[in-house]
């Protein structure tokens, strides 16, 4: 009990309370403060008890998942088998330093969709595989035409445009490739906001009308002489815009149905471009002498129409648009350093990719290879690309998307500088190069969407993918004419063109390695 002091107005409080002498009003405040302090201590003890219980539960959950080893990394399949035991814990130890990345962090890095458990994916089923079939059909037409530019280049340079320089002819195909990728800047956001229906329909009109226009341009050239603007308008502009309107939704729609198996599904659809790249060059080679250029191209337009009707019927989406998204592009996404480096890597890869596709047949002509086999080289390259688009996609889902892309880009570099630079007109060497480069470069198309999709949410995939390829298209615009100019400066010798292609792949390889290191470090155990 408190005791009165000598003056009768102050009280002395025993130890255990705040021992101060105050007036009676202050005494009441001090007693209230003691009560509040005791309640706060009780609440603190209760909170610490709950945290200890959660920590104990967390230890048991970690043990149950089979991921108790701190440096163990599992495949996507192993992780997906235990969706209810996913761990996403971030803590700072008492010493103030951050812990090294945990198993859950590594798994999230290689499978970022786990950050959004509220989004589910069918990962198969009739509807999902019909979308893949529709994308495949659209790719046969759109990318099949892109993989046939070498046949058009070789024919036009020896017939209608025989008097033009290789660099001038190259602009026809570089503008086409530029628009095929560059229009994605606007098409991607429109796809995210409005869906694929009208985009694929518009692409069908542009691509079919463009091919019919190329045949009419050829007839006009025979009557009035060659004019570049005919081919620029029909092949480059209509064909390029049509290809972009088809291929962007064809790739983006797959991301709405697949997450864990996205690489394999996208690779399977992308094989359509390689199959078109096999069939169309061989068909045109056979049809040119029989029907002539004009009717051969008209028949190609009819085939495109049939394929694209199937694409219009089957390509669909399922996820609603992200709230607040617009149809306008947004370059602020380049603040993401990993995305910026990925875009730079794709830029350099595509800068070099279309040089072999465009000039391989002409290279055969220049090295005394028969015209028939020179045309067939492009078909051989695309045959290798069929496996190069399907197999790396399947592997990427298990070993990491960026890991697989780095390996295939390195293989492209080896095939260009190690084989193409040294083979001359050797038939066996040309076959080996065409198959190896076709296999390695096939992933340039099929793995780029899944690498970009690993960096963003599926609802905005079209915007990110389209923005990426808008910058990449600048490389596509200049790569083929630069190759043609190098060829002219070297007076028809191809060594400079081949070295330029190799340097492009070397730069792309550096960018992808840097992006991966910045994201997950140097450890090869991380499936990224």
């Amino acid at each position: 009990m408190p005791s009165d002091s000598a003056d009768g107005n102050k009280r002395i409080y025993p130890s255990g309370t705040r021992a101060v002498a105050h007036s009676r009003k202050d005494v009441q405040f001090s007693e209230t403060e003691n009560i509040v302090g005791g309640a706060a201590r009780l609440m603190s003890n209760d909170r610490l008890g709950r945290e200890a219980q959660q920590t104990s539960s967390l230890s048991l959950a970690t043990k149950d998942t089979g991921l108790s080893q701190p440096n163990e990394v599992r495949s996507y399949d192993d992780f997906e088998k235990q969706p209810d035991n996913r761990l996403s814990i971030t803590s700072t130890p008492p010493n103030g330093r951050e812990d090294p990345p945990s198993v859950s962090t590594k798994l999230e890095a290689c499978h970022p969709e786990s950050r959004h458990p509220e989004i589910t994916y069918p990962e198969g089923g009739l509807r999902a595989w019909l979308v893949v079939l529709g994308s495949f059909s659209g790719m046969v037409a759109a990318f099949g035409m892109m993989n046939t530019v070498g046949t058009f280049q070789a024919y036009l340079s020896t017939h209608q445009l025989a008097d033009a320089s290789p660099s001038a002819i190259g602009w026809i195909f570089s503008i086409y490739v530029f628009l095929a990728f560059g229009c994605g800047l606007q098409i991607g956001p429109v796809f995210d906001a409005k869906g694929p229906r009208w985009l694929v329909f518009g692409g069908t009109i542009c691509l079919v009308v463009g091919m019919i226009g190329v045949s009419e341009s050829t007839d006009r050239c025979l009557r009035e002489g060659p004019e570049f603007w005919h081919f620029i308008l029909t092949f480059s502009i209509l064909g390029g815009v049509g290809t972009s309107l088809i291929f962007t939704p064809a790739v983006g729609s797959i991301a709405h149905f697949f997450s864990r198996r996205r690489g394999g599904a996208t690779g399977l659809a992308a094989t359509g471009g390689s199959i078109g790249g096999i069939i169309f060059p061989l068909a045109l080679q056979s049809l040119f002498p029989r029907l002539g250029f004009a009717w051969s191209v008209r028949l190609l337009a009819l085939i495109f129409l049939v394929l694209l009707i199937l694409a219009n019927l089957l390509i669909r989406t399922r996820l609603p648009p992200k709230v607040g998204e617009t149809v306008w592009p947004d370059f602020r996404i380049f603040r993401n350093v990993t995305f910026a480096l990925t875009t730079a890597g794709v830029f350099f890869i595509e800068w070099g990719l279309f040089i072999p596709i465009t000039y391989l047949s002409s290279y055969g002509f220049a090295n005394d290879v028969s015209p028939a086999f020179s045309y067939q080289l492009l078909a051989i390259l695309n045959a290798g690309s069929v496996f190069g688009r399907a197999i790396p996609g399947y592997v990427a889902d298990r070993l990491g998307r960026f890991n697989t892309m780095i390996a295939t880009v390195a293989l492209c570099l080896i095939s260009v500088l190690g084989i193409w630079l040294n083979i001359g007109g050797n038939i066996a060497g040309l076959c080996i190069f065409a198959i190896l480069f076709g296999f390695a470069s096939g992933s340039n198309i099929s793995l780029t969407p899944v690498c970009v999709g690993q960096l963003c949410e599926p609802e905005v995939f079209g915007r990110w993918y389209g923005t990426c390829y808008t910058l990449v298209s600048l490389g596509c615009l200049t790569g083929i004419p630069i190759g043609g100019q190098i060829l002219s400066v070297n007076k028809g010798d191809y060594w400079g063109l081949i070295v330029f292609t190799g340097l492009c792949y070397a730069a792309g390889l550096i960018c992808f390695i840097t992006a991966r290191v910045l994201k997950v470090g140097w450890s090869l155990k991380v499936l990224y």
Side-chain angles (χ1 to χ4, degrees), residues 382-458:
N382 283 304
S385 183
V386 171
F387 300 98
R389 298 191 184 198
I391 295 175
Y394 179 84
V395 172
D397 288 335
R398 285 149 181 80
L399 300 182
R401 283 93 185 244
F402 276 76
N403 294 346
T404 308
M405 177 66 96
I406 289 170
T408 55
V409 172
L411 188 58
C412 286
L413 178 62
I414 293 171
S415 65
V416 169
L417 296 183
I419 300 177
W420 193 20
L421 186 61
N422 303 300
I423 56 176
N426 183 278
I427 300 297
L430 284 170
C431 290
I432 292 173
F433 167 73
I435 294 173
L436 186 61
F437 181 79
F439 176 84
S441 64
S443 64
N444 298 169
I445 299 296
S446 63
L447 288 184
T448 297
V450 294
C451 286
V452 173
Q454 186 160 315
L455 304 176
C456 67
E457 298 176 358

Side-chain angles (χ1 to χ4, degrees), residues 1-347:
M1 294 291 295
S3 60
D4 293 338
S5 62
D7 59 7
N9 295 324
K10 304 290 182 70
R11 296 192 180 195
I12 305 300
Y13 295 87
S15 61
T17 63
R18 299 184 68 174
V20 292
H22 286 293
S23 63
R24 185 177 301 273
K25 181 178 181 179
D26 291 335
V27 171
Q28 294 175 351
F29 174 80
S30 178
E31 291 174 347
T32 302
E33 186 179 35
N34 289 336
I35 295 173
V36 172
R41 286 190 295 272
L42 289 174
M43 293 174 63
S44 176
N45 292 336
D46 181 66
R47 179 177 59 83
L48 292 174
R50 288 197 306 271
E51 289 180 349
Q53 183 179 4
Q54 290 173 355
T55 302
S56 176
S57 300
L58 174 60
S59 300
L60 292 174
T62 305
K63 183 176 181 181
D64 290 339
T65 60
L67 300 178
S68 57
Q69 299 299 322
N71 294 322
E72 181 181 1
V73 179
R74 298 279 186 95
S75 68
Y76 301 128
D77 292 334
D78 293 336
F79 185 57
E80 288 293 333
K81 290 175 182 177
Q82 305 169 35
D84 295 330
N85 294 327
R86 293 175 178 170
L87 305 179
S88 181
I89 306 299
T90 303
S91 63
T92 301
N95 58 13
R97 294 178 299 176
E98 293 186 359
D99 292 333
S102 64
V103 174
S104 62
T105 304
K106 293 179 180 179
L107 288 169
E108 181 178 296
C110 66
H111 194 58
E113 293 83 1
S114 63
R115 294 182 306 227
H116 308 285
E118 70 279 2
I119 301 177
T120 59
Y121 297 85
E123 302 292 353
L126 179 62
R127 185 184 177 194
W129 289 116
L130 285 176
V131 170
V132 174
L133 176 61
S135 298
F136 173 88
S137 181
M139 294 277 198
V140 172
F143 273 167
M145 178 179 173
M146 185 177 292
N147 289 328
T148 312
V149 295
T151 301
F152 283 101
Q153 191 273 342
Y155 189 90
L156 293 176
S157 63
T158 55
H159 292 80
Q160 293 93 328
L161 304 177
D163 296 331
S165 67
S167 178
I169 297 174
W171 280 108
I172 297 174
F173 307 105
S174 65
I175 292 174
Y176 160 76
V177 178
F178 167 74
L179 292 175
F181 291 134
C183 291
L185 175 66
Q186 187 60 64
I187 294 173
V190 172
F191 167 77
D192 289 334
K194 304 297 181 181
R197 182 184 299 275
W198 291 106
L199 295 175
V200 178
F201 178 77
T204 302
I205 300 298
C206 289
L207 199 57
V208 173
V209 172
M211 284 293 96
I212 295 174
V214 169
S215 68
E216 296 300 324
S217 297
T218 302
D219 286 343
R220 187 183 179 97
C221 285
L222 295 176
R223 295 192 304 268
E224 304 177 9
E227 294 189 33
F228 269 91
W229 71 268
H230 299 158
F231 295 99
I232 294 293
L233 176 62
T234 56
F235 192 98
S236 304
I237 296 178
L238 284 176
V241 172
T243 298
S244 187
L245 285 168
I246 293 165
F247 116 85
T248 302
V251 172
S253 60
I254 295 175
H256 284 240
F257 292 86
F258 295 89
S259 173
R260 178 173 54 86
R261 305 171 68 182
R262 184 179 299 169
T266 304
L268 184 61
T271 58
S274 298
I275 291 175
I278 297 171
I279 297 173
F280 299 150
L282 294 177
L284 291 175
Q285 176 196 348
S286 177
L287 292 173
F288 284 158
R290 300 179 183 180
L291 303 179
F293 186 88
W295 276 105
S296 299
V297 174
R298 289 173 189 140
L299 182 58
L300 188 64
L302 178 61
I303 296 173
F304 285 175
L305 179 60
V306 174
L307 291 168
L308 294 175
I309 287 175
L310 185 61
N312 276 271
L313 294 175
L314 297 181
I315 293 178
R316 292 289 182 270
T317 56
R318 55 177 286 272
L319 298 175
K322 189 174 181 179
V323 178
E325 290 295 317
T326 69
V327 298
W328 301 109
D330 185 2
F331 285 100
R332 290 178 297 178
I333 59 179
F334 283 108
R335 295 175 183 174
N336 184 315
V337 179
T338 306
F339 175 73
L341 285 168
T342 301
T343 301
V346 179
F347 173 90

